[in-house]
Amino acid sequence: MNQAHPKLETETLLHIRGELLKPLSQGALWWPQARTLIVSDLHLEKGSSYAAGGQLLPPYDTPATLNMVEQLVADLAPNRVISLGDSFHDRQSEHRLSDNCTARVRALTSCVDWIWVEGNHDPDPPAWLGGRAAKTFERSGLSFRHEPSGAAGEIAGHLHPCAKIGGGPRTLRRKCFVSDGERLIMPSLGAFTGGLNVLDPAYGEVFPDGSTIIIAISPAGVFAIPKKRLVADGPRRGAAWTLKTTSS
């Protein structure tokens, strides 16, 4: 990875199993050789799901998330889009989509080879919205799946990695990519999605030797974070995360 100018995402690159991958400031991943865009954890209609449970969130997360995906597709002109699971927040999400958002999703899935990787929130992606569903997708030595297993060549999501950055007068929290050069966990792209601190023990199950690169995202670009600047979260209420925990 070239870190000579970390603010320029064009110079921040990853090699996984011989394939060159480009992390993007939106939290997506671009695979130039295969002209493939990878996104993860869109969690469409999370806002309406929370509203149904009495937590009144603004109902704008789905349009905001689709705005990002549509812009990426327009800018990069991919031949394929892989959505790494939890594309929908629950099994009824597709039925809560507005007519406008339904049309936007179908326009996306009709213009490229769109692959819905199955997630724990959406184990049966809706076929009527277009695209094709897969438990995993394999191509050129890379394996695309939702929940990380730690296998070499794996590109996964699920954990919503986030870096808490300290070392100055204040701390910042940024969504991030986590990789050791053999496998990669992607950040969530959804507008209302939270994150799990990269210092959480759950990542030790995926990267047992701890030799990871943390690439944070921001509106200005993507940048590598020195491990000495990472800060752990305080005590969390409830059960600790594991690889099988349902992420938000």
Side-chain angles (χ1 to χ4, degrees):
M1 181 177 65
N2 185 341
Q3 298 178 27
H5 238 308
K7 288 187 177 180
L8 299 177
E9 59 187 74
T10 52
E11 296 186 18
T12 303
L13 304 170
L14 291 167
H15 289 83
I16 308 289
R17 302 297 291 272
E19 296 296 328
L20 184 66
L21 305 170
K22 178 181 174 182
L24 303 175
S25 59
Q26 297 88 342
L29 189 68
W30 176 237
W31 184 7
Q33 185 175 1
R35 299 209 59 79
T36 296
L37 174 68
I38 304 104
V39 298
S40 187
D41 294 273
L42 304 179
H43 283 269
L44 299 177
E45 291 302 307
K46 180 176 180 178
S48 63
S49 176
Y50 273 52
Q55 300 184 49
L56 301 182
L57 296 178
Y60 307 126
D61 56 312
T62 296
T65 301
L66 291 177
N67 286 345
M68 288 190 286
V69 177
E70 288 167 341
Q71 190 62 58
L72 286 164
V73 169
D75 290 345
L76 297 169
N79 294 331
R80 178 185 300 112
V81 174
I82 304 172
S83 187
L84 290 181
D86 286 2
S87 304
F88 300 89
H89 187 67
D90 58 61
R91 297 189 184 200
Q92 298 302 314
S93 291
E94 68 267 25
H95 303 300
R96 298 195 304 274
L97 288 169
S98 68
D99 290 344
N100 176 264
C101 287
T102 296
R104 292 171 68 181
V105 172
R106 297 189 73 171
L108 285 167
T109 59
S110 66
C111 73
V112 297
D113 178 19
W114 189 287
I115 299 165
W116 303 107
V117 173
E118 299 175 12
N120 54 294
H121 280 244
D122 55 354
D124 187 20
W128 64 277
L129 286 174
R132 53 192 175 109
K135 292 187 181 298
T136 61
F137 180 75
E138 311 278 342
R139 181 61 57 93
S140 301
L142 299 181
S143 176
F144 300 89
R145 55 181 293 146
H146 179 61
E147 297 188 31
S149 69
E154 186 175 80
I155 312 293
H158 182 60
L159 291 181
H160 300 196
C162 202
K164 188 175 181 181
I165 307 162
R170 63 191 180 98
T171 59
L172 297 174
R173 193 177 184 89
R174 299 291 188 193
K175 294 181 179 181
C176 63
F177 298 83
V178 187
S179 178
D180 63 356
E182 286 290 328
R183 53 197 65 78
L184 171 69
I185 300 179
M186 290 186 56
S188 59
L189 193 73
F192 278 179
T193 51
L196 179 67
N197 193 305
V198 293
L199 296 181
D200 190 277
Y203 295 95
E205 300 180 43
V206 185
F207 309 103
D209 66 0
S211 59
T212 54
I213 300 167
I214 310 300
I215 299 178
I217 69 173
S218 79
V222 302
F223 49 98
I225 303 298
K227 287 192 174 181
K228 64 183 180 181
R229 295 194 60 196
L230 296 176
V231 179
D233 290 331
R236 293 169 56 92
R237 293 184 178 181
W241 279 57
T242 69
L243 291 182
K244 293 299 182 182
T245 299
T246 300
S247 57
S248 60

